């Protein structure tokens, strides 16, 4: 299949998953994870109708953002403090914030540039090998972010265990419940720069399981960009 056909297959799958659980497909944004492809593939993806892209390396974010500045570029990789200056202001949304020190540096960089940087808090599903904040520590980090005027927390992100759909669904459901709990916590709900409506969860192998649990963004790479991806 062509990239256009693969994207249409993903979009159709998202629409079916939304219909099955009574959601509007317009509530779910497909982020094309372009971290393994070059500028030519990004150009094809834009022509196919993709306008949100995810990158996990700051240098690649810079290269592709500067080549396609009219598209929306998401940073989905591990945050390295020394490279945050490349990310802040280029990324429309940083999906992977989970350390207080990084939150404070993002705030300082955004202040220097006269912007407010949108972020998601990455929550760890319990796997020790993964990054992300423990659910029990989320409220504390949100309260720190509430004091940082150049950060806006738009929601939460997680990565589920690959290869086990039932486990993934539990991870997605737990993130939704955690979001709802935080959203009902009075001081967090009252913070003007915290709006937890976004849930970034689900990738090529498990995004249909994330949609019934409330995903508003799915991060899809191989299913769109890989010639040999088998759905």
């Amino acid at each position: 299949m062509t990239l256009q056909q693969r994207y249409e297959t993903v979009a159709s799958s998202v629409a079916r998953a939304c219909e099955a659980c009574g959601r509007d497909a317009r509530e779910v944004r497909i982020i094309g994870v372009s971290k393994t492809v070059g500028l030519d593939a990004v150009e094809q993806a834009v022509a196919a109708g993709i306008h949100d892209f995810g990158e996990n390396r700051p240098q690649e974010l810079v290269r592709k953002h500067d080549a396609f500045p009219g598209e929306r570029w998401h940073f989905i990789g591990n945050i390295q403090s020394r490279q945050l200056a490349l990310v802040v202001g280029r990324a429309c949304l940083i999906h992977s914030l989970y350390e207080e020190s990084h939150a404070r540096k993002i705030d300082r960089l955004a202040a220097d540039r006269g912007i407010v940087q949108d972020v998601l808090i990455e929550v760890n599903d319990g796997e020790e090998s993964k990054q992300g904040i423990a659910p029990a520590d989320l409220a504390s980090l949100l309260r720190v972010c509430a004091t940082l005027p150049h950060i806006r927390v738009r929601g939460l992100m997680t990565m589920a265990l690959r290869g086990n759909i039932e486990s993934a669904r539990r991870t997605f459901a737990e993130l939704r419940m955690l979001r709802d709990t935080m959203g009902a916590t009075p001081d967090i709900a009252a913070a003007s720069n915290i709006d937890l409506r976004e849930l970034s969860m689900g990738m090529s192998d498990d995004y249909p399981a994330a949609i019934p649990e409330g995903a508003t963004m799915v991060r899809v790479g191989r299913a769109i960009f890989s010639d040999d991806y088998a759905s």
Side-chain angles (χ1 to χ4, degrees), residues 23 26-31 52 74 92-95 118-123 138 142 152-158 175-176 178-180 194-201 213-219:
R23 296 184 63 192
R26 290 173 295 184
E27 297 174 2
V28 180
R29 181 175 299 183
I30 299 170
I31 298 173
D52 287 89
H74 300 246
C92 66
L93 185 64
I94 297 173
H95 288 232
D118 286 344
V119 301
L120 302 179
I121 307 297
E122 181 172 1
V123 178
L138 176 60
L142 286 171
R152 181 165 47 230
V153 181
R154 299 291 306 280
L156 307 177
M157 183 272 253
T158 197
L175 191 73
R176 173 178 48 80
L178 182 63
R179 186 273 308 273
D180 293 347
I194 296 178
D195 177 0
L196 301 177
R197 70 181 65 192
E198 303 288 359
L199 290 177
S200 172
M201 56 190 194
E213 302 302 338
T216 62
M217 299 179 183
V218 293
R219 308 180 306 274

Side-chain angles (χ1 to χ4, degrees), residues 9-230:
T9 297
V10 170
S12 295
S13 178
V14 167
R16 288 194 302 272
C18 287
E19 183 177 10
C21 64
R23 296 184 63 192
D24 187 330
R26 290 173 295 184
E27 297 174 2
V28 180
R29 181 175 299 183
I30 299 170
I31 298 173
V33 177
S34 52
K35 63 184 183 180
T36 63
V37 302
L39 298 180
D40 55 343
V42 173
E43 186 174 20
Q44 291 177 47
V46 171
I50 301 173
H51 300 290
D52 287 89
F53 293 90
E55 289 290 328
N56 68 343
R57 295 182 179 180
Q59 292 85 352
E60 275 296 284
L61 176 72
V62 170
R63 186 170 79 99
K64 291 172 183 169
H65 168 277
D66 292 357
F68 298 93
E71 309 307 325
R72 293 181 292 270
W73 292 93
H74 300 246
F75 186 73
I76 61 174
N78 187 36
I79 291 174
Q80 296 180 331
S81 182
R82 67 183 184 276
Q83 294 187 325
L84 270 173
L86 300 178
V87 175
V88 172
R90 285 188 173 91
C92 66
L93 185 64
I94 297 173
H95 288 232
S96 46
L97 174 63
Y98 66 94
E99 293 188 16
E100 178 181 335
S101 62
H102 291 158
R104 294 189 182 282
K105 183 163 185 178
I106 291 170
D107 182 70
R108 291 195 299 271
L109 288 167
D112 290 345
R113 294 167 191 186
I115 64 170
V116 175
Q117 176 66 59
D118 286 344
V119 301
L120 302 179
I121 307 297
E122 181 172 1
V123 178
N124 188 295
D125 70 346
E127 284 192 73
E128 292 184 2
S129 62
K130 288 182 183 175
Q131 63 187 37
I133 195 167
D137 297 328
L138 176 60
S140 177
L141 181 56
L142 286 171
R143 290 185 174 109
V144 169
C145 289
T147 69
L148 303 176
H150 294 277
I151 280 181
R152 181 165 47 230
V153 181
R154 299 291 306 280
L156 307 177
M157 183 272 253
T158 197
M159 296 178 64
L161 177 67
R162 287 182 61 183
N164 187 323
I165 291 298
E166 288 307 312
S167 173
R169 186 181 288 276
R170 287 193 297 273
T171 294
F172 301 147
E174 288 166 2
L175 191 73
R176 173 178 48 80
M177 290 186 287
L178 182 63
R179 186 273 308 273
D180 293 347
T181 298
M182 293 296 103
T185 302
D187 62 323
I188 292 172
S192 62
N193 65 333
I194 296 178
D195 177 0
L196 301 177
R197 70 181 65 192
E198 303 288 359
L199 290 177
S200 172
M201 56 190 194
M203 299 189 295
S204 288
D205 294 337
D206 56 21
Y207 68 85
I211 289 170
E213 302 302 338
T216 62
M217 299 179 183
V218 293
R219 308 180 306 274
V220 183
R222 289 176 299 120
I224 292 172
F225 290 104
S226 178
D227 291 333
D228 57 1
Y229 180 79

